[in-house]
Amino acid sequence: MIRRMLPRLRVLFLGLALASGAVAAGTPAEAVPSVAQLNPYGRWLNPAGDVEVSVAPCGTLLCGTVTWVGGQALADASDAGVQHLVGTQLLQGYRRQDGGNWQGQVFVPDMGATFFSRIHQPDDGHLKISGCILHGLLCKSQIWTRR
């Protein structure tokens, strides 16, 4: 079964690349905001800069809706049968976890599928969004930037 899933997983994670070095390392502790100060709400851009998502509360949960799309993301979504990406909820039903982390589901438009996901906010300007299979056993992440 895993062998049959590998081609789909490669497609899923093709666009998800951990942006190593995107967040500065070695920042003095006094300059790093506490978890209580971090706010995941706002507008965020994916690493390619061709998808903007508005992250907002939806009741007691966190959700994210596409507000702008351009470039390759639009073509990839269309190829997967998603014709109207703007207005699509990519981040769905995230619940707050310990340490300012969130857990929910992410919709991957170019696959037309939803996956288990975690969000971690390392600082006020970045979100690390992980898409996972096997309920978090295998994950790929990308760093989104506040717009």
Side-chain angles (χ1 to χ4, degrees):
M1 181 168 132
I2 296 289
R3 187 177 299 263
R4 288 185 311 193
M5 292 175 54
L6 285 177
R8 286 208 89 159
L9 292 175
R10 286 188 187 109
V11 172
L12 165 68
F13 297 130
L14 180 64
L16 297 174
L18 178 60
S20 60
V23 179
T27 306
E30 61 273 2
V32 177
S34 73
V35 171
Q37 295 171 320
L38 295 176
N39 179 358
Y41 304 118
R43 295 181 322 172
W44 298 88
L45 282 176
N46 72 339
D50 59 1
V51 177
E52 178 188 78
V53 173
S54 176
V55 176
C58 47
T60 60
L61 306 175
L62 175 144
C63 297
T65 304
V66 177
T67 53
W68 174 84
V69 180
Q72 191 62 42
L74 191 58
D76 290 345
S78 181
D79 289 347
V82 179
Q83 300 303 318
H84 304 286
L85 197 52
V86 172
T88 300
Q89 193 175 76
L90 292 188
L91 307 177
Q92 304 169 355
Y94 285 80
R95 295 185 185 283
R96 185 179 295 273
Q97 306 293 303
D98 292 339
N101 297 310
W102 298 81
Q103 185 172 297
Q105 296 185 319
V106 62
F107 174 67
V108 180
D110 57 345
M111 290 189 69
T114 302
F115 298 91
F116 174 81
S117 175
R118 291 187 183 107
I119 295 176
H120 170 70
Q121 189 172 14
D123 59 54
D124 195 51
H126 299 92
L127 287 181
K128 178 181 177 184
I129 301 176
S130 301
C132 308
I133 60 169
L134 303 175
H135 202 69
L137 185 61
L138 298 172
C139 300
K140 290 290 183 176
S141 301
Q142 59 181 216
I143 305 291
W144 290 22
T145 305
R146 189 179 294 277
R147 185 153 177 145

